[in-house]
Amino acid sequence: GGGCLGSCEGDMMLFNANQSLPGSSSAGTAPILNYSWNMGGSGIFLSGTGPNDPQIQFEYDTFGVYTVILTVTDSNGCTDTDTCITTVAPNPTISFTYPTSQLCSSDTICFDASYFPIFNTTNIVSWYWDFNDNGLSIANIEDPCYTFSSEGTYIVVLTAVDNIGCSSVYTDTINIYSLPDVDFYIDP
């Protein structure tokens, strides 16, 4: 038994049974006929795998700590069980704001990213902004300022990665307006 590798919320996890279970004194010689996985929580089996397969892909419904139990039965009718504890970490919760009063094509717009930690032990280590403006993006700046190239509708995408490798994406649609035409003359 012992610890399994962890993952992030929404990630597929691969579990693989061995003929010789960790911690057993010797490998059995009879072939395994039945594999029974108890995942310790709700989720879905992926890629055509199920609870009776030797190798499974599983995605938990939510973050948490889960005890996974594998029970095998060999052709002699003998059974053995192994357990491991796996942790599914939550993805960071992020968003951003921007001033809605200055959205003209010549204005520089400053974005303010927000992070709402679920655990006090996580922090954002990477910010990536995609402005969908002719391929322009900004990396590793939490609160960038940006001037869009022209008027139009832009989908701004913020991706953040925390110190355990979990990531989230937040998007917002921004309308940038053209400047008014101004012209005047002097009347003699």
Side-chain angles (χ1 to χ4, degrees), residues 63-146:
F63 65 89
V65 177
Y66 300 97
T67 301
V68 179
I69 303 169
L70 170 62
T71 303
V72 296
T73 305
D74 69 15
S75 61
N76 294 324
C78 298
T79 62
D80 196 1
T81 299
D82 191 26
T83 62
C84 72
I85 310 267
T86 187
T87 300
V88 178
N91 291 320
T93 302
I94 60 171
S95 68
F96 64 81
T97 58
Y98 53 92
T100 57
S101 61
Q102 54 184 107
L103 297 175
C104 297
S105 60
S106 67
D107 293 330
T108 298
I109 300 169
C110 292
F111 295 86
D112 183 20
S114 299
Y115 167 56
F116 310 97
I118 294 174
F119 298 129
N120 290 334
T121 57
T122 60
N123 60 317
I124 301 297
V125 296
S126 173
W127 300 93
Y128 181 80
W129 294 84
D130 185 349
F131 297 102
N132 285 298
D133 184 18
N134 299 318
L136 297 175
S137 60
I138 297 175
N140 294 323
I141 296 177
E142 181 176 347
D143 298 323
C145 294
Y146 186 77

Side-chain angles (χ1 to χ4, degrees), residues 38-58:
N38 177 335
M39 305 311 294
S42 61
I44 58 171
F45 290 93
L46 303 171
S47 296
T49 64
N52 297 315
D53 294 325
Q55 179 177 324
I56 62 166
Q57 295 178 351
F58 192 79

